[in-house]
Amino acid sequence: MSSSQPSSSDSAFGSNTVSSALTPAFSPLYQQIKGLILQSLQAGEWRPGELIPSEMELAARFKVSQGTVRKAIDELAAENLVMRRQGKGTFVATHSAQQVQYRFLKLHPDVGDLEGEGRAQRTILECKRLRAPAEIARLLALRSGDTVVQVRRVLAFSGIPTILEDIWLPGQAFKGLTAEQMASYKGPTYAMFEGDFGVRMVRADEKLRAVLPDPAQAELLNVSPQTPLLSVERLAYTYNDIPMELRRGIYRTDTHHYKNALS
Amino acid sequence: MSSSQPSSSDSAFGSNTVSSALTPAFSPLYQQIKGLILQSLQAGEWRPGELIPSEMELAARFKVSQGTVRKAIDELAAENLVMRRQGKGTFVATHSAQQVQYRFLKLHPDVGDLEGEGRAQRTILECKRLRAPAEIARLLALRSGDTVVQVRRVLAFSGIPTILEDIWLPGQAFKGLTAEQMASYKGPTYAMFEGDFGVRMVRADEKLRAVLPDPAQAELLNVSPQTPLLSVERLAYTYNDIPMELRRGIYRTDTHHYKNALS
DNA sequence: CAGTGGTCTAGACCACACT
DNA sequence: GTGTGGTCTAGACCACTGC
């Protein structure tokens, strides 16, 4: 990398240097490095929870300075894709890690600080394969007609059924998923997805609404049909913004609330 | 700062160098710099929208290298406290800025990309001073009995009343706030708070629930009392985590939804 | 043109974890 | 002690803005 400056690269990167006039498409070196690391994460070169090479090693591999690798990793860490630990190294982020378990679950009990009671009790009501309905297929970026796995379950806190949700997953990536597996896995469902299917959810979008349950939903949650519930539609993505899970849940909010930090 | 390393400082910082054994309380230089910049922001040395001194100037003022100032500002920018613009400088963040207007409003129309229709129409129903009820006082960290300003208003989109909310503000910081002012200000309410009262909201916490409106609320929103609504309690903070506004709103979610990005 | 933030490098030392 | 990430510095050049 000689004593180089941003624009040009003399190592084996996708050249965006003398790009055609139409695409300025210049990205700084550290962004290119970030992209390369991202590719390795995506390709499974290092699995969730594993140690990735040290900054020095990566700097040598990519023929850039340690500072440049550092800045790339800084961004990956900010996006929760990796986790740094001083003195030990940098690890691929995982939903199994104690500190970020249930990172996507924003429902908190009104009283009682942490989710005591040993977490939620899961009841799997259904787990089946079917051809994706048009809307599900669209959201998951599948061809209509592709098969999906649908799971319906209830989550209870302290014995009180609180969340009823349907989960849709692309059939191809989740071959062999069973109700048994969904029910018996210890720890977050997303951790099971990582361990058993190599699928890591890195971010998600949620749409919230207030709704009334239909009679079936009301019964499953043991509430009257006049009880307002929080409807949460979540679309979760793996690396590279590929949608890999759709959830539609309804939450009881009489003893819990959805907590959000704006900044 | 000579050719110094993290722990010690030879300029005018709060010494945490040889701190008493009980408080390790060591913070890196760039964090100290960040704190000093924060103090200036808080003290109003530079007002929202204004240009702050260049990195070189700040480096000279604090007797550290530009890189250290840069890292401090990096964090402030990540927290949306300042905004950098290449070639121009670093500006104090403001809710007036086009790009971040209504940053805290997560309610989006189901159809239609941007908030077209020229934004919300505001109707101020009430604007009065009163002694803070116990719970309001507690949330705003006031002494019970302190006066607060309470504003009740309706926000309509495309003529449809969609949000009904109460806003509580510490009376001391918002002396002279009138209904007229709340109604006629062009742009975000938070921008008005900055311009007219020098109060800048930097972050907020929200608690969401699904609720049914009471008869009065139903009428104001022009919905039946059986319509489930999204209840949003927001506590907004200025610099240094000082709570400065409490909002309790109920949102119609039949044509809009609350959008949240998890990462 | 000068001034600003943005990128990149190289080298030094610190704090932490493991052995 | 060795190796890791974390902090700090100094100097160079790039990209953008406005005079």
Side-chain angles (χ1 to χ4, degrees), chain B residues 107 160-163 221-223 229 250-256:
Chain B
L107 197 69
I160 302 171
T162 305
I163 296 178
L221 284 179
N222 194 28
V223 297
L229 297 170
I250 49 178
Y251 297 4
R252 284 183 60 171
T253 55
D254 46 354
T255 58
H256 291 65

Side-chain angles (χ1 to χ4, degrees), chain A residues 1 6 28-30 64-65 68 71 86-88:
Chain A
M1 198 108 272
L29 232 198
Y30 77 88
V64 299
S65 79
T68 300
K71 182 143 189 184
Q86 185 172 146
K88 302 184 75 171

Side-chain angles (χ1 to χ4, degrees), chain A residues 29-31 33-34 37 52-60 62 64-78 82 84-87 89-90, chain B residues 30 71:
Chain A
L29 232 198
Y30 77 88
Q31 287 285 5
I33 303 301
K34 180 183 170 188
I37 297 176
I52 76 172
S54 74
E55 296 178 352
M56 287 301 260
E57 283 179 78
L58 290 172
F62 299 131
V64 299
S65 79
Q66 185 193 11
T68 300
V69 170
R70 167 167 291 273
K71 182 143 189 184
I73 294 180
D74 274 348
E75 292 208 351
L76 293 172
V82 299
R84 332 181 74 146
R85 283 204 270 166
Q86 185 172 146
T90 301
Chain B
Y30 76 89
K71 181 142 189 183

Side-chain angles (χ1 to χ4, degrees), chain B residues 3-250:
Chain B
S3 65
S4 55
Q5 253 54 49
S7 53
S8 59
S9 52
D10 55 351
S11 49
F13 301 134
S15 72
N16 61 6
T17 308
V18 198
S19 55
S20 69
L22 275 180
T23 47
F26 145 79
S27 73
L29 234 198
Y30 76 89
Q31 287 285 5
Q32 301 177 39
I33 304 301
K34 180 183 170 188
L36 291 172
I37 297 175
L38 214 37
Q39 278 180 33
S40 292
L41 286 170
Q42 193 181 176
E45 180 173 338
W46 319 297
R47 301 188 59 84
E50 280 185 11
L51 190 62
I52 76 172
S54 74
E55 296 178 351
M56 287 302 260
E57 283 179 79
L58 290 172
R61 178 202 294 201
F62 299 131
K63 297 203 174 64
V64 299
S65 79
Q66 185 194 10
T68 300
V69 170
R70 166 167 292 273
K71 181 142 189 183
I73 294 180
D74 274 347
E75 291 207 353
L76 294 172
E79 294 167 25
N80 293 307
L81 296 178
V82 300
M83 220 191 44
R84 330 182 75 145
R85 282 204 271 166
Q86 183 172 146
K88 301 184 76 172
T90 301
F91 299 80
V92 181
T94 168
H95 288 276
S96 305
Q98 211 65 29
Q99 30 197 166
V100 293
Q101 276 191 179
Y102 302 100
R103 183 157 58 92
F104 288 175
L105 179 57
K106 313 279 271 182
L107 197 69
H108 293 247
D110 290 337
V111 295
D113 351 30
L114 71 159
E115 297 280 3
E117 329 121 2
R119 300 299 314 173
Q121 301 88 39
R122 289 190 287 253
T123 307
I124 308 301
L125 304 177
E126 203 173 13
C127 178
K128 62 182 181 190
R129 270 142 215 293
L130 65 158
R131 307 233 164 244
E135 197 190 355
I136 307 295
R138 182 178 58 79
L139 289 168
L140 288 176
L142 301 174
R143 284 179 299 268
S144 72
D146 282 359
T147 78
V148 291
V149 184
Q150 177 177 355
V151 179
R152 171 167 292 187
R153 67 177 188 176
V154 171
L155 301 183
F157 298 101
S158 308
I160 302 171
T162 305
I163 296 178
L164 167 62
E165 64 186 357
D166 283 301
I167 304 176
W168 287 271
L169 302 161
Q172 190 164 15
F174 288 87
K175 281 191 170 65
L177 175 64
T178 65
E180 222 297 358
Q181 203 171 359
M182 288 291 297
S184 64
Y185 187 85
K186 305 299 182 203
T189 299
Y190 286 145
M192 187 267 281
F193 288 172
E194 290 174 359
D196 293 359
F197 300 94
V199 175
R200 171 168 161 71
M201 306 298 179
V202 295
R203 67 174 193 88
D205 289 324
E206 290 191 334
K207 290 184 183 183
L208 280 62
R209 292 188 149 80
V211 299
L212 292 180
D214 63 37
Q217 295 172 329
E219 190 181 336
L220 288 166
L221 284 179
N222 194 28
V223 297
S224 95
Q226 280 71 48
T227 308
L229 297 170
L230 186 61
S231 156
V232 179
E233 175 177 293
R234 176 193 301 170
L235 192 52
Y237 300 82
T238 6
Y239 299 112
N240 279 50
D241 287 325
I242 301 172
M244 281 298 268
E245 184 205 50
L246 172 65
R247 285 192 191 197
R248 285 184 171 157
I250 49 178

